[in-house]
Structure formats: structure tokens, C-alpha cells
Amino acid sequence: MLERLNSESLAHLPEDVESPAYDRGRVTPGIVHLGIGAFHRAHQAAVTDLAMAASGDLSWGIVGVSLRSPATRDALTPQDGLYTLALRDAGPDGQLREQLRVIGSVLRIVVAEEDPQAVLERIASAQTRIVSLTVTEKGYSHEPATGHLRWDDPDIEHDLAHPVRPRSAIGMLVYGLALRRERSLPPVTLLSCDNLHANGDTLRSLVLAFALRVDVGLTAWIDNHCTFPNSMVDRIVPATQDEDRARVAQRLGFEDAWPVVGEPFLNWVIEDKFAAGRPAWDAAGASFVRNAAPYERLKLRMVNAPHSAFAYLGSMLGLRTNSEAAATPALRRYVDDMMRLELGPTLRGVPESGLDEYRLRFLARVANPALPHRTRQVAMDGSQKVPQRLLAAIRDRKQRGDDFSRLAMSVAAWLHYLRGYDELGNAYAIQDPLAGALAKLLARAEVAATASAPSQAAHRRATVMAGFRPVFGDLGSKPAFVEALALHLERLRTLGVLGALEALERDAARQGSAQSVPAA
């Protein structure tokens, strides 16, 4: 039975395990972070740890907030907030390798569901200068197609009626800021680190919309004083498994109840708009820029979009991880073509050589055999991800009259995935904030298809699905998009994933042949 990792353990770690290069006893909290899951602990918290070591400024400790589950709090509190980051990849010889580092930037964790007032007090603390978020796309209580706050969201409705016990991230931010204003405290920076289009601008609009329902004066104070930098974050972080805990404990010589696993690659680009200072994140690998939009667009289209494509198609083939999907020749070929021929050309201003390097690096990252990122983990919350990862690119290509057949295949793959079983007959639960509405949508689509003539069934099915405005917006009324969706949905239903991809390749070959024939 190993002893538990804690502050006293740091002096006894193996020489090949890195540990905080500063006196943790002198660290004070300057950041409140909503959504202290694996991604934050492998990304922003790790960079903050290195930044404090590099700069000697120890006023940027993190108070983590778990919105619902006490699991992370219960795991890390006995460990004094310490945990291990395990960076895994394969060397040139193909051998798996792992670098361990104990992270010391997290000071304590609060569970919002248990004590929402404690969260508000922490946001309203004079020490707090940054409130950051990784609550995933669904945590913003907004409509993916429009970016508007969903006033019918149960948590938003609750928070408007119960200001001292908010449930939503937006409610916590607004009521915490109200306390700051009431106490004449300085403003703070609100920093979204989620994969949202213009995440800072989106967060600002949602916060201001909610604040307007609470207090017009508060809305003006937030708008005039607080800042909302846009940012782009990138690191593959799969869910921690029991075998990860066992392996890390063996290396450490101490039990770590909740280590996190990630790839060595990390990217973090942040607009340098801070209301009350910031850590020296740039000393630890982050980049501060005037405008994060080009970096965000590049990442959403050349990382997030193909990641989702691998996940949906791989899941339907019964593949467990995205690395298995990337090792399947037909899937890799399809994703490579989608990136080269459809996604890359939408990124105007980026040199072709730079896009090639980015694409090849992504394909190598996702194929990392040391990092088993589960397809169904990536496939979660598709209603929140598909609009910005795939539909935005389809709109761009459609506007220019360009082919979007491969992108439409990925959208069809998501809808096909929503059936809840793969090609091997394995059933799985659909994890999505709109799961109930999507289940009804699929049922309506099947009724409509069954009631149609056989020749019209596929088109009718696609028309009903594409008409789901919270995801597709006005794109569902565009005939070219509906026709492409109908074609790929029917092929996935009748030919399976590999057959549908083969048919898509034949389409591309015929189209290429037709374009190469000289005009008469």
C-alpha cells in the first residue's frame, strides 16, 4: 500500500520526475478556474506551474471550481492539490515513452453544487484577478447555431430566480462580478479556454446578456471594466484510466488518485487584453497576440474538425480510439483529403507549406499509439461542436461555389452516430446536451422517410434532420447541402463506413477525370 502523494512527498520523488520549482507555501491564489477537469490540469494549470517557476511571481495560484461532481476535489484535497501530468508519445524507435511532472499550481478545489456561495465569494475576492473557464461547449448555455444565450435552459432559468445559488457558469460569473462591483473591488479578466468560435467575444456577449436581466448598472460596469480575451488552446488529453493510475504510482512511488495524461505537444495563444495583470505564461510556451482569430480558425478547422471526423467514423466501425481510426488506411486517406482539399483552402492567408506542416503534424499527433484517446469521448456533445468545426467550413465553401462533399460526409457521420449502435451491433449512450431533442429528430426523420416513396426516402430523411435549426441554422434550407447530406446518409446506412468512403473516392476520381478532359 503506497503512501498518498502530498506536499511532504515532493522531497522524495524519483530524480526523473519533475516537481514544482518554487516554494508552494508562498503561493497565493490569483486565478479562479471554472471546470477543473483533465484538460485544464494538463494545459493551463501546467503552464501556470511553469510560469510561476520561471518568473518567481507566486501570486497566480489556482482555486479550481468543479461545477457538479466532487470527484476531483475528493481526489486532490488529500494530496494538497498536487497531481501528476504524464506526457506520453513514441520515440523514433517506436518505443512508448512517458515524462512525469508533479504540478503544484492548484491550491484548492470548490464544488459549486455543494456551495455556490463559496464560488461567488472566491470570484469576489480581492486576490482574484483572472477567472478562467474550461466548461466545454455545452457549459455556455447557448445555442450553437446562433451563439445566443438559451433563456429556456433550465440552469439559466434557475439562476435568474436564485441569485445566491447559481448553477450555470454564466450565472456564477455574473453574480460573482456583481459582488465585486458592490464591494468596490477592481475588475477582472474573464478568460475562456474552450473550443468556441471567438470564445472571449462569445463569453462577453453571454455574460452581458444575462447581466442585463439582473442589473443595467452591472452590465455597464462589466462592459467598461472587465476584459474577455479570445484564446486558442490545443493539447490532446484523453480521460484518465485505472491503468494510468497504476503506471504513474509505480513510477512515483506514491499513490496519485487522479493523474492526467496528455501529449507532449501544447499550444496556447491568448489576446493580450488583461484587466489586472497576468502570469508569465509566455515564459512557459504560451503566445500573447493582438488577435487570436486566425489561430483559432486554423485550430478549429485543421485539428478539431478532423478529430471529430475520425471519432464519428471510427466509432461506427467499432474502433475504440482515435489512434486506431488514424491507423485505418481508408479513414486516414479520407481525413487527409478533407484537410488538404476542403478545409485548408478556407484558411486564406496561411501559406500552403504551413498548412501542409500543420496537417502532417496533426495526423502524427492523432496517430500517437501512447495516447489512446477514446473515439466516444471525442464524439460527445456533437450538437455543440459540429456547427463550428464542420458547418462553418461548409458555409465558406458553399459561398464560393466549392465542393464540400467530404465535409458533408463528416456531418452525415455525426447524424449516423446518433443512432446509438455501431456496425458490430454494440450499443452506446448518446452524451449530448440536446440528446433528447436529437432522439426525437431521428425518430421524425424515420417516420418521414417511411411515409415517402422509396426514391424520395433518403432526401426526406435528410431534409428533416437538416431542418434542426439549433444546430444547422439556415443551412438546412439549402438544397445543395441537403442533397449532399442525403447521399452520404444513405451510403452510410446501406454500404457502411468503408463502403461509403470508397464510394466517395470513386466520386472524386470521376470528378477529377471530368475536369481533366479538355473542352471540345
Side-chain angles (χ1 to χ4, degrees), residues 151-398:
W151 298 107
D152 61 346
D153 182 285
D155 287 342
I156 296 297
E157 290 180 338
H158 171 275
D159 291 356
L160 288 171
H162 301 89
V164 297
R165 295 191 61 81
R167 293 177 182 166
S168 71
I170 301 301
M172 290 176 201
L173 291 176
V174 170
Y175 292 127
L177 292 174
L179 277 180
R180 291 191 73 87
R181 175 174 173 255
E182 185 181 305
R183 296 171 182 177
S184 299
L185 291 172
V188 295
T189 298
L190 292 97
L191 177 62
S192 171
C193 299
D194 283 297
N195 288 319
L196 290 172
H197 169 61
N199 54 12
D201 295 337
T202 298
L203 178 61
R204 176 180 174 275
S205 70
L206 298 173
V207 165
L208 292 178
F210 189 97
L212 195 59
R213 294 280 185 99
V214 175
D215 180 349
V216 174
L218 172 63
T219 307
W221 183 85
I222 295 171
D223 194 24
N224 291 329
H225 296 94
C226 295
T227 58
F228 297 80
N230 292 303
S231 70
M232 181 275 281
V233 295
D234 192 6
R235 170 169 264 175
I236 296 174
V237 182
T240 303
Q241 306 297 321
D242 287 341
E243 53 264 36
D244 299 320
R245 293 182 176 87
R247 189 183 62 255
V248 167
Q250 184 177 25
R251 288 267 318 269
L252 281 184
F254 295 93
E255 179 192 356
D256 184 346
W258 212 321
V260 289
V261 180
E263 63 175 333
F265 177 87
L266 179 144
N267 199 3
W268 191 9
V269 178
I270 318 154
E271 290 177 348
D272 201 358
K273 299 188 299 187
F274 289 81
R278 56 171 171 77
W281 284 324
D282 50 339
S287 301
F288 291 107
V289 299
R290 292 183 60 187
N291 179 15
Y295 303 91
E296 170 224 292
R297 186 181 179 92
L298 177 65
K299 194 253 180 166
L300 281 172
R301 299 201 176 179
M302 297 295 279
V303 174
N304 295 130
H307 223 196
S308 289
F310 273 131
Y312 295 128
L313 292 165
S315 289
M316 296 312 301
L317 284 172
L319 301 177
R320 191 177 65 90
T321 68
N322 260 18
S323 57
E324 292 174 358
T328 303
L331 281 185
R332 182 185 174 94
R333 206 161 50 243
Y334 158 72
V335 170
D336 191 18
D337 286 346
M338 182 174 72
M339 296 175 74
R340 283 189 307 107
L341 302 174
E342 295 188 12
L343 287 165
T346 69
L347 297 164
R348 292 175 289 279
V350 181
E352 188 173 335
S353 59
L355 287 174
D356 283 343
E357 179 183 352
Y358 205 91
R359 173 177 56 84
L360 293 172
R361 182 171 59 193
F362 165 76
L363 291 171
R365 290 170 59 198
V366 78
N368 182 353
L371 210 64
H373 203 182
R374 292 182 296 115
T375 50
R376 291 180 192 168
Q377 181 188 355
V378 181
M380 291 169 55
D381 304 334
S383 68
Q384 313 297 299
K385 297 174 179 177
V386 164
Q388 56 194 350
R389 297 185 180 193
L390 297 168
L391 300 184
I394 288 175
R395 283 188 170 89
D396 282 358
R397 292 191 64 80
K398 185 177 178 303

Side-chain angles (χ1 to χ4, degrees), residues 20-238:
Y22 50 85
D23 180 359
R24 286 192 83 229
R26 294 175 48 229
V27 177
T28 55
I31 300 172
V32 173
H33 185 83
L34 307 186
I36 185 150
F39 183 80
H40 170 71
R41 293 193 290 127
H43 194 283
Q44 299 93 26
V47 176
T48 302
D49 178 84
L50 289 175
M52 289 195 292
S55 67
D57 183 354
L58 304 185
S59 65
W60 295 106
I62 297 169
V63 175
V65 177
S66 178
L67 298 184
R68 298 282 187 266
S69 171
T72 305
R73 187 270 316 273
D74 294 347
L76 298 192
T77 297
Q79 300 179 182
D80 302 323
L82 295 169
Y83 62 92
T84 310
L85 171 61
L87 301 181
R88 310 196 75 209
D89 66 354
D93 58 358
Q95 293 295 310
L96 302 188
R97 56 190 182 182
E98 183 173 64
Q99 176 189 354
L100 300 187
R101 189 169 114 225
V102 174
I103 306 298
S105 54
V106 176
L107 301 181
R108 65 184 66 93
I109 297 174
V110 178
V111 180
E113 192 166 75
E114 294 178 359
D115 192 355
Q117 192 61 38
V119 179
L120 303 186
E121 288 292 338
R122 181 45 61 182
I123 293 174
S125 167
Q127 291 179 305
T128 299
R129 288 172 284 166
I130 294 175
V131 182
S132 53
L133 302 86
T134 49
V135 294
T136 75
E137 295 92 338
K138 66 184 175 185
Y140 289 78
S141 305
H142 74 312
E143 187 174 83
T146 64
H148 297 157
L149 194 63
R150 289 182 52 221
W151 298 107
D152 61 346
D153 182 285
D155 287 342
I156 296 297
E157 290 180 338
H158 171 275
D159 291 356
L160 288 171
H162 301 89
V164 297
R165 295 191 61 81
R167 293 177 182 166
S168 71
I170 301 301
M172 290 176 201
L173 291 176
V174 170
Y175 292 127
L177 292 174
L179 277 180
R180 291 191 73 87
R181 175 174 173 255
E182 185 181 305
R183 296 171 182 177
S184 299
L185 291 172
V188 295
T189 298
L190 292 97
L191 177 62
S192 171
C193 299
D194 283 297
N195 288 319
L196 290 172
H197 169 61
N199 54 12
D201 295 337
T202 298
L203 178 61
R204 176 180 174 275
S205 70
L206 298 173
V207 165
L208 292 178
F210 189 97
L212 195 59
R213 294 280 185 99
V214 175
D215 180 349
V216 174
L218 172 63
T219 307
W221 183 85
I222 295 171
D223 194 24
N224 291 329
H225 296 94
C226 295
T227 58
F228 297 80
N230 292 303
S231 70
M232 181 275 281
V233 295
D234 192 6
R235 170 169 264 175
I236 296 174
V237 182

